[in-house]
Amino acid sequence: MTKREVRFPREFSWGTSTSAYQIEGGGTNTDWWRFERTGDTPAVEPCANACDSWHRYEEDLDLLVKFGLNAFRLSVEWARIEPERDVISTEALDHYRQVLQACHARSILPVVTLHHFTLPLWVADAGGFESPEISTWLANYARVVGEALGEYIGVACTINEPNIVAIMGYLVGVFPPRASSWERFVAVNKTMRASHIAMRDALREGPGTFPIGLPLSMQEYEAVDGGEEQLESLRHEMEDEYLNAVKDDDYLGVQCYTKMLIGPNGLVTNPQDELTEMGYLFWPQCVEYTVRRAAQITGLPIIVTENGIGTNDDDQRIRYLAGALQGLSNVIRDGVDVRGYFQWSLLDNFEWILGYAPKFGIVAVDRSSFARTPKPSAQWYANATKGFPESVL
Ligand code: FCB
């Protein structure tokens, strides 16, 4: 297919990143909602009302304006837009159109993810990512979203971290559908790549000139105690197969949080290391490492679509962000084509099986009133983006 004209925003995009299920609340028609309520679930608590952003999105966008940011990454929920097979909810599309218009009214570029971890129940019940029809369903859904919202989309992301959905759901067995098989993990990764391409091509046929890409979870990896072979086979499945499959995209979304140490039997943690609330190694240097690697292999422009830290210690968050932006300025100075950076996350939100415990937000959310209170890191981030890169050196 011929490549359509693509327009990137003129200036660097500075934003925060979110997803529908984690902030909207009321995602009842999804596999995750059911999974959180199933007997022996590893989910520590249900998502319930999340941050109530379905109703409070204008307040969220006003915070971005207050911080002087110019972009916002959000997702639209497939289960709301297509609640049953081939049944399209114009109400849901109208809602998301209003959200996107509210972004534009504030000069905020909306970066829109079509799939962020959750599946509609009808898809999950028909086999989810193991159904032979999944790519077709996703492409149809992308076509619907593109036609209804394409003129308002600033940048599109197809499937959020398909490699994490595959590893957590089909190998580690802690996300739905809780399978533990290397073969199923590999097969789902393959399906994800085909689905991404089908969605991208469907979006390209619709209105709008927005860039389209895949937000991939990447790590800085290090082999320890002879873990080289293990590292290579894991990284091959988690990253390289994807990086080689997206070369006709408009950009690549890099999402990184940490460095992983890989020994001959898998993941290793050193007791003396500084760990975050997610159990991740404190490693802001991962931004520089992954962005370089992604750009080198794909040759594509890069957007850091997620990066941040789960911590109750906001000073630690500032320290992390300073390290991350330092790395980003290094790669930009070396000529790597980076178009934006999206801190995860605007709000303290629902962190999947870990519930509300990890605090990734630059804004705190009261769990009963949903009142939003910016943390010092919000002001720090706002200032850093203004004088970038000098401000972080
Ligand atoms: C990423 C997910 C995102 C959030 C962060 C902390 O893997 O894409 O939804 O949970 O991790």
Side-chain angles (χ1 to χ4, degrees), residues 19-24 47 50-51 116 344 349-352 356:
S19 87
Y21 191 79
Q22 293 174 276
I23 63 167
E24 281 179 351
C47 173
C51 304
H116 196 123
W344 182 277
N349 65 13
F350 178 73
E351 274 305 329
W352 309 110
Y356 291 98

Side-chain angles (χ1 to χ4, degrees), residues 109-125:
L109 181 88
V111 176
V112 180
T113 308
L114 273 69
H115 179 275
H116 196 123
F117 286 9
T118 47
L119 285 175
L121 283 174
W122 67 265
V123 177
D125 290 339

Side-chain angles (χ1 to χ4, degrees), residues 19 22 116-117 160-161 164 255 257 278 280 306 344 351-352 360:
S19 87
Q22 293 174 276
H116 196 123
F117 286 9
N160 180 74
E161 297 189 346
I164 292 294
Q255 315 208 150
Y257 290 87
M278 302 288 275
Y280 297 163
E306 280 186 27
W344 182 277
E351 274 305 329
W352 309 110
F360 275 89

Side-chain angles (χ1 to χ4, degrees), residues 94-261:
D94 287 347
H95 171 87
Y96 287 124
R97 189 175 301 107
Q98 281 165 18
V99 175
L100 301 188
Q101 284 171 341
C103 290
H104 288 290
R106 291 165 177 80
S107 300
I108 289 172
L109 181 88
V111 176
V112 180
T113 308
L114 273 69
H115 179 275
H116 196 123
F117 286 9
T118 47
L119 285 175
L121 283 174
W122 67 265
V123 177
D125 290 339
F129 284 104
E130 295 184 309
S131 161
E133 291 182 272
I134 186 72
S135 298
T136 310
W137 293 334
L138 277 164
N140 289 342
Y141 161 60
R143 194 165 297 112
V144 167
V145 171
E147 272 163 20
L149 307 176
E151 64 180 296
Y152 302 106
I153 295 178
V155 173
C157 302
T158 55
I159 306 176
N160 180 74
E161 297 189 346
N163 50 348
I164 292 294
V165 176
I167 196 166
M168 300 299 264
Y170 297 86
L171 183 62
V172 184
V174 293
F175 279 12
R178 297 198 67 185
S180 302
S181 143
W182 179 265
E183 287 70 32
R184 289 173 74 179
F185 161 64
V186 170
V188 167
N189 274 327
K190 198 165 166 216
T191 302
M192 290 289 189
R193 292 189 287 274
S195 298
H196 160 70
I197 289 167
M199 292 171 83
R200 180 197 67 197
D201 291 349
L203 285 171
R204 278 182 177 164
E205 283 164 20
T209 54
F210 51 88
I212 306 166
L214 178 141
L216 188 67
S217 169
M218 293 184 71
Q219 319 284 341
E220 182 168 345
Y221 285 106
E222 189 183 318
V224 292
D225 308 329
E228 283 78 8
E229 217 174 289
Q230 179 83 0
L231 186 158
E232 281 311 320
S233 86
L234 189 64
R235 186 161 62 184
H236 177 78
E237 263 311 308
M238 289 295 284
E239 295 185 8
D240 299 353
E241 289 274 16
Y242 282 94
L243 296 173
N244 288 319
V246 299
K247 292 186 175 164
D248 288 332
D249 289 5
D250 303 317
Y251 77 96
L252 179 82
V254 170
Q255 315 208 150
C256 58
Y257 290 87
T258 188
K259 173 163 85 169
M260 287 194 170
L261 309 179

